[in-house]
Amino acid sequence: DKVHTISDYLRSKSLTLGLSENIPFEKITPAIDTKKFSVKKNPGSIKDNIDILTVGRLNWIKDYETAISAVKILKDKGINVTYNIVGSGPEHERLTFCAYQLGLENEVIFHGKKMHSEINEMMENSDIYLQTSMQEGFCGSVLEAQAKGLLCVVSDADGLKENVVDEKTGWIAERRNPGSFAEKILKIIDMPVEKRKETALNARKRAEVDFDLEDQKNRFTNFFKY
């Protein structure tokens, strides 16, 4: 009778799977309580040893291999970097071996599952949030990272292109291309801190305006009411 979608991408996908264009639909994106994600103390700043963070299940579709390979490129270029991965899943053993093969045992750290409060603290201490997924409907973790004022580098996968505004609230790289991600991160490192801060605060403001939790609640109420 009616369809809810979290992104234009998923609505388009549903049409290819047989959904009629005549069925009413509404896009209501994920939303967050931004009060639980206060902006980092120094948005846009980067430490000498860069801390990169990804939060998500260890699943093939997240394509952590591309992320780990990008870290290898950064290391080979003389960048001091630590890549923190939060989450668990069936790919843990294979990804651990991937990091070992690339000589990144000390740079890539698997933290397993963490409480939401712990993730918030890790975001506070991180410089860059990385999401190399092959597909995403939207991705709440990227939204949280933007609300925190992290510098976000994401793939050009589906809903991520709706989540991040390229060059304004973050940076979009070509999926399955470690060099593309490394290039974006190097660009961020070389960027004036004022520009990085502007991007971080743009991301925070957009999270407050476009992904407000109360607005989402009201839209869902109206969606089911009418």
Side-chain angles (χ1 to χ4, degrees):
D1 299 305
K2 202 173 187 180
V3 170
H4 159 243
T5 182
I6 61 173
S7 64
D8 293 328
Y9 156 70
L10 285 180
R11 200 257 170 164
S12 297
K13 184 70 173 178
S14 70
L15 294 176
T16 68
L17 295 173
L19 180 71
S20 170
E21 291 190 13
N22 297 323
I23 295 177
F25 81 98
E26 184 171 357
K27 182 174 77 169
I28 304 176
T29 67
I32 57 173
D33 184 352
T34 53
K35 294 188 291 293
K36 293 183 178 180
F37 290 89
S38 58
V39 182
K40 283 164 52 71
K41 293 179 182 177
N42 296 303
S45 64
I46 289 180
K47 300 185 290 293
D48 290 335
N49 189 103
I50 298 172
D51 276 307
I52 299 176
L53 175 67
T54 300
V55 179
R57 66 191 185 280
L58 305 186
N59 181 278
W60 67 270
I61 207 167
K62 299 294 184 180
D63 193 19
Y64 285 100
E65 282 181 303
T66 289
I68 294 170
S69 297
V71 171
K72 171 64 172 174
I73 294 172
L74 295 174
K75 181 182 177 182
D76 288 346
K77 289 184 177 292
I79 304 298
N80 295 318
V81 57
T82 299
Y83 181 32
N84 297 292
I85 299 174
V86 175
S88 61
E91 296 285 289
H92 181 265
E93 186 174 357
R94 190 173 66 82
L95 293 171
T96 301
F97 185 66
C98 174
Y100 166 76
Q101 276 191 313
L102 294 176
L104 298 174
E105 302 98 313
N106 297 322
E107 286 79 14
V108 179
I109 303 173
F110 295 89
H111 293 269
K113 288 185 178 181
K114 291 285 184 183
M115 300 286 290
H116 218 216
S117 58
E118 294 176 300
I119 294 172
N120 198 344
E121 184 176 349
M122 291 184 74
M123 285 185 174
E124 176 66 39
N125 296 321
S126 298
D127 302 305
I128 293 173
Y129 187 89
L130 182 61
Q131 194 75 43
T132 53
S133 304
M134 287 187 273
Q135 288 185 338
E136 285 285 354
F138 197 80
C139 192
S141 294
V142 169
L143 185 54
E144 292 176 352
Q146 289 179 93
K148 193 69 182 175
L150 272 171
L151 303 169
C152 295
V153 180
V154 305
S155 76
D156 57 2
D158 317 315
L160 286 176
K161 292 185 289 187
E162 300 175 50
N163 196 323
V164 170
V165 181
D166 193 26
E167 301 286 342
K168 184 175 180 181
T169 69
W171 294 267
I172 296 176
E174 183 183 0
R175 74 187 93 176
R176 299 290 289 164
N177 186 341
S180 179
F181 285 95
E183 180 183 337
K184 298 291 183 181
I185 293 171
L186 290 168
K187 178 180 179 179
I188 293 169
I189 294 171
D190 293 336
M191 191 177 292
V193 65
E194 294 81 8
K195 177 60 179 176
R196 293 199 301 257
K197 183 176 182 180
E198 178 186 346
T199 305
L201 295 181
N202 282 344
R204 169 66 184 196
K205 184 175 182 180
R206 184 165 180 255
E208 292 175 332
V209 173
D210 293 350
F211 305 107
D212 177 68
L213 189 61
E214 289 302 316
D215 179 60
Q216 184 201 49
K217 289 178 182 178
N218 293 333
R219 293 182 67 185
F220 266 121
T221 298
N222 291 329
F223 177 79
F224 286 107
K225 186 181 295 184
Y226 303 108

